[in-house]
Amino acid sequence: MPDETHDLPPRRKMHILQLLPNLVSILALCSGLTAIRFAVDGRFGTAIALIGLAAALDALDGRLARMLKSESAIGAELDSLSDFVNFGVTPALVLYLWGLKGDASLGWIAVLLYAVCCILRLARFNVGNKAAPAGGDAPERTSFIGVPSPAGAMLVMVPMYFAFASGNAVTVPNVVIMLWMVGMGVLMISRIRTPSLKRVTVAAENARFILVAGAAVVAALLTYPWVTLLVLAVAYLVAILFLWRRSAAHQRKVP
């Protein structure tokens, strides 16, 4: 009887470090889901921190995959599914548990609308990447079309930053929270160009100033987290407005 084991294809081997990007995606997912748990317990500051950690890990996994040459279809799908949970479901639920339970019906509609906008944003991004020509640039290589989901998650929680920065002395009305959620969802699926750091370059002699500024932002986040997050969110929205006005002015000049 012939030995059938010789007919089996050889097992493909991969270095264990090539699993690191997918592990980072899974850790980001665990961070986002754990944020919901802390929000249920009323520990909203910890929940926001975990969503921020998920956003940082999301920025890391793709770069690790490119560095380790371990990009794969399953890794891309895992990253996208993790993003929907972390930046579509989790922040919406955290906001609902924090400020919308008193208006459960309308509040839940806002949660659903934001989550739907997030998944549409991710689907458009994935389709754009797959439709890009081989060796060419994806449509969102130099700037994003609409607010990316991690930025949307951090923006949608601005009412919480505002309330916490005031020491909960200011109560944000439910209707404002709901309108803000829907507005951030619309920004995600809009065609407005938004800032991207993917191809931002600086002069080598100015690198030290960028490092000092980064250290200052981290120190501010650790010392005055809510004020700093609020300032960063406002700065990001101002940058979006600036890009939109510049794009509109350019289109008016084109015959």
Side-chain angles (χ1 to χ4, degrees):
M1 180 179 295
D3 188 358
E4 295 182 359
T5 58
H6 294 294
D7 297 331
L8 297 176
R11 291 183 176 179
R12 187 174 68 90
K13 293 185 178 181
M14 60 187 301
H15 198 283
I16 193 169
L17 284 179
Q18 291 181 300
L19 296 174
L20 192 56
N22 289 349
L23 177 61
V24 171
S25 295
I26 291 172
L27 289 175
L29 176 63
C30 293
S31 179
L33 289 173
T34 305
I36 298 175
R37 176 203 165 187
F38 279 105
V40 170
D41 292 340
R43 299 168 64 179
F44 296 105
T46 304
I48 292 174
L50 287 170
I51 295 173
L53 176 60
L57 292 173
D58 176 68
L60 182 63
D61 59 3
R63 287 165 177 78
L64 279 175
R66 288 187 289 273
M67 287 173 55
L68 298 172
K69 294 181 172 57
S70 61
E71 295 172 290
S72 64
I74 191 171
E77 294 299 327
L78 183 62
D79 181 58
S80 183
L81 292 170
S82 175
D83 285 353
F84 174 58
V85 173
N86 293 337
F87 311 127
V89 175
T90 297
L93 288 178
V94 169
L95 266 172
Y96 178 80
L97 293 169
W98 172 71
L100 295 178
K101 291 178 69 176
D103 199 348
S105 297
L106 290 176
W108 191 247
I109 291 175
V111 168
L112 295 178
L113 290 176
Y114 174 82
V116 168
C117 288
C118 182
I119 200 169
L120 290 174
R121 172 67 177 85
L122 290 167
R124 186 179 68 189
F125 178 81
N126 293 343
V127 170
N129 279 349
K130 291 177 181 177
D137 281 345
E140 301 191 42
R141 180 66 66 183
T142 56
S143 63
F144 292 113
I145 302 173
V147 173
S149 56
M154 302 313 293
L155 285 176
V156 81
M157 294 185 292
V158 161
M160 299 180 74
Y161 309 155
F162 184 76
F164 295 161
S166 68
N168 289 316
V170 177
T171 301
V172 183
N174 288 1
V175 65
V176 172
I177 300 173
M178 289 184 284
L179 291 175
W180 183 262
M181 289 181 71
V182 175
M184 292 305 101
V186 170
L187 272 182
M188 283 196 290
I189 61 173
S190 71
R191 307 298 298 183
I192 298 174
R193 289 280 178 177
T194 57
S196 171
L197 299 179
K198 291 181 178 180
R199 289 195 175 180
V200 174
T201 58
V202 295
E205 61 269 19
N206 294 331
R208 59 187 183 276
F209 300 117
I210 301 299
L211 294 174
V212 171
V217 170
V218 172
L221 279 171
L222 294 174
T223 309
Y224 306 104
W226 309 122
V227 173
T228 305
L229 286 171
L230 191 58
V231 170
L232 291 175
V234 171
Y236 185 76
L237 291 172
V238 169
I240 292 174
L241 179 62
F242 173 77
L243 281 179
W244 175 75
R245 292 191 62 181
R246 190 176 69 173
S247 176
H250 176 71
Q251 289 179 358
R252 285 196 296 268
K253 290 179 182 178
V254 175

